[in-house]
Amino acid sequence: MSYEAWILIIGSMAGITCGVVGCFLILRKLSMLADAISHTVLLGIVLAFLISQSMNGLYMLIGAAAVGLLTAVFVQLLHSSGIQEDASIGVVFTFLFAIGVILITIFADNVHLDVDHALMGEIAFVPFDLVQIGFLPPLPKAFLMLASVLIINLVIIVLFYKEFKITSFDPQMAAAIGIPVLLIHYLLMVMVSITTVASFDSVGAILVVAMLIAPGASAYLLTNKLSVMLLLSAVFGVIAAVVGYYAASYIDASISGCMAMMNGIIFLLVFLFSPSKGILSKRLPQKKLHEQIGK
């Protein structure tokens, strides 16, 4: 498979994986928690390496999931003690992220744990980092990571679709009928954590926030049905990845940066022209009403 094809496939898979999980963050008003987890999982990666002395992707996912869950727990504890949620998120994620950076500089300074790469990503190099598994031909490690996480996320969503749906729209009702709201919340945080790590090589920890939030936010403006929202967010993620790649090739800029930028552009277009919630579509009936009154 060609170099360009692999970048498009991996970028699209990152868009789908992030977009689908991000829908639940949008519905739960937890967008900034995604930003926090995307930073704090760096600590999980460092701890996984220090414990295992290996850069194996499985260890990275386990470490990231653990620290992502720890982030959500700390935020929940601070918020339940009376501290505002945004302040709780800011304190927790800066503290845990700082510990991760310090551990890298002290214990892993000579190891290939590149902070800039983890934060910003570089999808241009992804097709060259190949892994051989059994009888399969050598495949990019990022592709295998994203494929595994995408399958895990989809299986979890299918198995707990009703629980995710009810707890996202009406957590009080969910608790009343016996659904473990907090457990579902932490399960979602684990999904966000492993999705972030799987997307490190393609878009990095910072830009992955755009892929987690923007497709879901765009889909939210177009539909009131969760299943359609999940599908639309996946489609927007793919469009942003494909158009972002060709835009980056044309202007000779960062591929991951252009992919994230396209997510913002798609959101802006939907925000303006959405048939039901768009700014322009809302103003048009008002304009017609004023014209009728004027007559």
Side-chain angles (χ1 to χ4, degrees), residues 147-161:
S148 302
V149 171
L150 178 58
I151 292 171
I152 291 171
N153 286 346
L154 291 178
V155 169
I156 291 174
I157 290 172
V158 170
L159 290 177
F160 300 100
Y161 181 79

Side-chain angles (χ1 to χ4, degrees), residues 59-112:
Y59 299 140
M60 301 294 130
L61 286 176
I62 294 173
V67 174
L69 185 59
L70 188 66
T71 302
V73 170
F74 283 169
V75 169
Q76 184 70 26
L77 286 174
L78 290 176
H79 182 52
S80 61
S81 66
I83 299 175
Q84 291 182 351
E85 189 171 32
D86 55 348
S88 303
I89 292 173
V91 170
V92 171
F93 105 72
T94 51
F95 175 69
L96 295 181
F97 177 67
I99 293 177
V101 173
I102 292 170
L103 289 178
I104 285 180
T105 56
I106 295 176
F107 298 108
D109 193 39
N110 298 321
V111 182
H112 182 58

